[in-house]
Amino acid sequence: LIDLACMAGLCIVPDLYLVRAGRFAAPFILITHFLVQWGYFLWFEWRWNGATPGKRLMGIRVIQASGARCTFERLVLRNFLRVVDFLPFLYARGAATMLVSRRGARLGDLAAGTVCVRVPRPPPPAAAADRFTAARGNFSRFAGSGGTDRASLGRALSSYVSSASGGSRTAAQRM
């Protein structure tokens, strides 16, 4: 649905300008729709390492069955067969092929030797910020009200590091 919304935007915006051209707009509107329909998936999967905006948001991408990055030729074949998958109505043939194949792949994937895989997501930035806040809170427990001069902060840091490492002598203590 995300890719469908992106494709609709890519078609509607030029259409708004082309409609003003009157009777000469129809060929340009058809060309625009043709280019978006055929080029959207191919361009994004080729340039974005196997992912369209929708695939990227969902955490999936297309790779070769061997695990390598898809070649342009495989992506052309995969996306050319999208028309066959679409027939007779709203990806009915593609859905039937997915139900029958062992990998759950559509016809375009089977012919091109490609698979859709989940991409592991990195931890959200908030998780790193939460770890920093927790560490700062733990450190402030050792710093206490011992002052804010360099020596007292150094002692507090040394105490914190030695307690966190199980009491072993640290570089801060050797200084």
Side-chain angles (χ1 to χ4, degrees):
L1 293 177
I2 296 165
D3 288 327
L4 183 62
C6 291
M7 290 173 61
L10 288 171
C11 287
I12 290 172
V13 171
D15 289 354
L16 294 174
Y17 291 105
L18 290 172
V19 167
R20 295 181 184 165
R23 64 184 182 152
F24 299 108
F28 294 110
I29 289 173
L30 289 174
I31 290 170
T32 301
H33 288 234
F34 176 81
L35 290 175
V36 168
Q37 180 66 34
W38 283 96
Y40 177 85
F41 291 100
L42 180 62
W43 190 86
F44 277 111
E45 287 176 357
W46 178 49
R47 302 302 293 169
W48 281 17
N49 198 20
T52 60
K55 285 185 181 88
R56 187 172 279 187
L57 285 172
M58 298 305 294
I60 58 176
R61 63 178 257 218
V62 178
I63 60 171
Q64 291 183 33
S66 66
R69 183 178 182 193
C70 279
T71 62
F72 183 74
E73 294 80 16
R74 287 182 188 254
L75 290 172
V76 168
L77 179 59
R78 178 181 191 275
N79 286 295
F80 180 74
L81 289 174
R82 184 178 302 276
V83 174
V84 177
D85 284 332
F86 186 77
L87 298 173
F89 179 71
L90 294 178
Y91 290 98
R93 184 168 289 146
T97 305
M98 290 171 67
L99 292 172
V100 173
S101 74
R102 277 188 259 160
R103 294 187 321 205
R106 63 182 188 83
L107 190 59
D109 288 322
L110 293 172
T114 58
V115 292
C116 288
V117 295
R118 290 216 176 269
V119 178
R121 294 181 187 240
D130 290 343
R131 286 192 302 269
F132 175 77
T133 304
R136 185 175 58 192
N138 289 340
F139 175 73
S140 65
R141 179 170 46 104
F142 286 97
S145 61
T148 57
D149 63 333
R150 268 185 121 150
S152 62
L153 286 176
R155 283 190 300 275
L157 179 60
S158 174
S159 172
Y160 174 70
V161 170
S162 80
S163 71
S165 64
S168 63
R169 189 171 162 96
T170 63
Q173 290 173 329
R174 291 189 292 262
M175 295 169 104

